[in-house]
Amino acid sequence: FVNWLDEYNPTTGEWKSLQDAPHARDHFHAAVVGDRLYAAGGRRTHANDWFSDTVPEVNVYDFTQNEWLVVEDTPDDLPI
């Protein structure tokens, strides 16, 4: 599990390092909506303890501001 974020430009073939996320995680869901990347759920997997360290926070990366926002409490009524 890591907290880094990179951006790839397919036109130039170049990678750019972006600001690290506030929460490291693996096995999470992500979606891009407009100029924001939403990272939700996931866990910090350890070799012998796969599911005990889940990540409840939703992190939102704003590409225009180059900053992360943190949603501490995920609403119970999110559509699934």
Side-chain angles (χ1 to χ4, degrees):
F1 54 91
V2 297
N3 66 335
W4 44 261
L5 177 64
D6 295 326
E7 177 181 74
Y8 178 70
N9 183 326
T11 303
T12 64
E14 295 180 1
W15 286 93
K16 176 182 173 183
S17 294
L18 302 175
Q19 187 182 76
D20 289 345
H23 299 96
R25 64 182 80 211
D26 60 10
H27 295 87
F28 64 97
H29 298 283
V32 175
V33 179
D35 292 332
R36 291 185 170 182
L37 167 78
Y38 295 80
R43 61 183 188 250
R44 289 176 285 270
T45 303
H46 303 282
N48 296 322
D49 193 8
W50 289 39
F51 295 106
S52 68
D53 198 8
T54 58
V55 181
E57 297 86 5
V58 174
N59 297 149
V60 181
Y61 182 77
D62 187 320
F63 287 98
T64 59
Q65 299 297 318
N66 189 33
E67 70 179 359
W68 284 95
L69 310 169
V70 178
V71 179
E72 295 293 338
D73 297 314
T74 305
D76 291 332
D77 61 348
L78 284 177
I80 47 175

